[in-house]
Amino acid sequence: QVQLVESGGGLVQPGGSLRLSCAGSGIILSINTMGWYRQAPGKQRELVAFITRIGSTNYADSVKGRFTISRDNAKNTVYLQMNSLKPEDTAQYYCNAVPTFKTYWGQGTQVTVSS
């Protein structure tokens, strides 16, 4: 059974940083394209970043230059380093494969950017 557990969210002021973690069990993250998704209240879930099997990365325009996705194969964990956070980054953040698998969705981690 695949389980993805997100952590690292919190309340941060505009301009601040957070690092999210996605720990996998029952799945080898390094052989999958893995992505970070977010969903803000009243909005559709969106893909903000992904990393491929060979380590190529891609970002949504809204986070390009501010967010960095990475992977630690030994820990079977994918990270999202978020810098220069803005209020519009406020959302519940999730990791999943790209494309997504319905059964892979976890609880996510809440990121709130506010002064």
Side-chain angles (χ1 to χ4, degrees):
Q1 181 180 353
V2 172
Q3 188 174 19
L4 298 172
V5 179
E6 303 92 346
S7 62
L11 172 64
V12 63
Q13 292 187 340
S17 298
L18 285 172
R19 190 177 79 154
L20 307 184
S21 299
C22 169
S25 59
I27 179 175
I28 301 174
L29 300 186
S30 62
I31 65 172
N32 291 274
T33 295
M34 295 299 299
W36 280 98
Y37 301 78
R38 69 184 181 187
Q39 186 167 22
K43 295 188 177 182
Q44 287 190 330
R45 190 173 291 170
E46 61 172 338
L47 175 64
V48 296
F50 66 83
I51 183 166
T52 69
R53 293 177 58 178
I54 62 171
S56 300
T57 59
N58 193 277
Y59 301 91
D61 288 343
S62 58
V63 306
K64 201 170 292 184
R66 300 188 298 121
F67 289 12
T68 302
I69 189 170
S70 62
R71 185 176 62 214
D72 185 327
N73 295 341
K75 294 183 178 180
N76 204 34
T77 299
V78 174
Y79 302 98
L80 186 68
Q81 177 68 43
M82 306 186 297
N83 299 328
S84 303
L85 282 161
K86 303 176 181 181
E88 51 264 43
D89 295 318
T90 295
Q92 190 80 358
Y93 283 71
Y94 305 85
C95 64
N96 202 318
V98 179
T100 63
F101 285 82
K102 185 177 179 179
T103 58
Y104 288 8
W105 292 113
Q107 295 300 309
T109 186
Q110 176 68 35
V111 172
T112 303
V113 185
S114 175
S115 55

